[in-house]
């Protein structure tokens, strides 16, 4: 069994017994240890892949990407998009949303090809983790995604964000 598999199994055993607040405190401590170079960034993976709490998954995913090599090197952003593509994360929508929120054009290009693999619930989670005021690249990504799935009412509704002007959808449809 790989060390990562063992770490995930251990995390899943603790998951029902620990509150999200306790898990978040543990994550915060590990993030600091990763930033200080005392832990490898792989210590963040059980939180990103094995948790169900949106905030924990977003924080772990973004910390993992920040701690790793750039996308040009294949690096952490590429690995995180693979978590989505391969369905490795329990909360795939939060991983997807965390990556959108980074406002990185190269990451968004990679995510564009994965938009149709998410369910409506996962797409809604991805939208929700962006909060009430997503950045301009995130809004553009959501608007394009909403246009792409316009023929699927459930998926379109899941992606629609109040910050995307309705005129944007009408202008693109014309």
């Amino acid at each position: 069994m790989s060390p990562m598999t063992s770490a995930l199994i251990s995390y899943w055993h603790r998951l029902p017994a620990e509150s999200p607040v306790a898990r978040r405190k543990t994550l915060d401590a590990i993030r600091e240890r990763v930033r200080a170079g005392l832990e490898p960034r792989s210590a963040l993976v059980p939180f990103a892949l094995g948790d169900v709490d949106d905030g924990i998954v977003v924080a772990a995913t973004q910390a993992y990407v920040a701690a790793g090599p750039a996308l040009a090197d294949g690096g952490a952003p590429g690995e995180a998009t693979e978590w989505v593509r391969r369905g490795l994360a329990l909360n795939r929508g939060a991983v997807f949303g965390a990556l959108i929120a980074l406002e990185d054009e190269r990451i968004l290009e990679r995510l564009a090809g994965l938009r149709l693999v998410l369910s409506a619930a996962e797409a809604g989670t991805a939208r929700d983790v962006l909060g009430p005021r997503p950045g301009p690249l995130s809004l553009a990504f959501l608007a394009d995604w909403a246009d792409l799935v316009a023929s699927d009412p459930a998926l379109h509704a899941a992606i629609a964000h109040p910050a995307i002007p309705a005129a944007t959808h009408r202008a693109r449809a014309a």
Side-chain angles (χ1 to χ4, degrees):
M1 184 178 329
S2 78
M4 186 54 63
T5 301
S6 296
L8 280 167
I9 290 170
S10 174
Y11 191 84
W12 291 328
H13 284 281
R14 290 190 340 252
L15 193 64
E18 289 184 7
S19 71
V21 172
R23 295 192 315 271
R24 182 58 189 246
K25 285 180 182 178
T26 303
L27 171 60
D28 290 344
I30 290 176
R31 281 184 2 194
E32 287 306 314
R33 291 183 57 79
V34 169
R35 277 189 210 127
L38 302 172
E39 293 273 354
R41 69 185 163 103
S42 62
L44 298 162
V45 173
F47 296 91
L49 297 184
D51 211 292
V52 294
D53 182 85
D54 294 348
I56 291 170
V57 173
V58 168
T61 301
Q62 290 179 341
Y64 182 86
V65 170
L71 186 60
D73 303 325
E79 293 168 11
T81 58
E82 280 298 297
W83 299 341
V84 173
R85 186 185 69 77
R86 295 175 56 201
L88 298 177
L90 286 181
N91 191 341
R92 193 164 62 160
V95 170
F96 200 85
L99 295 171
I100 293 170
L102 293 173
E103 293 274 305
D104 183 306
E105 289 179 358
R106 297 166 301 167
I107 295 172
L108 293 174
E109 285 175 19
R110 290 186 88 131
L111 292 177
L114 299 174
R115 293 177 293 193
L116 297 178
V117 304
L118 298 181
S119 68
E122 291 170 328
T125 297
R127 179 211 55 219
D128 290 347
V129 301
L130 295 173
R133 295 182 186 191
L137 294 177
S138 298
L139 279 176
F141 185 88
L142 287 176
D144 288 344
W145 190 5
D147 289 345
L148 177 69
V149 298
S151 63
D152 182 337
L155 195 50
H156 187 270
I159 296 162
H161 193 284
I164 301 172
T168 303
H169 297 294
R170 287 193 295 272
R172 289 192 175 149

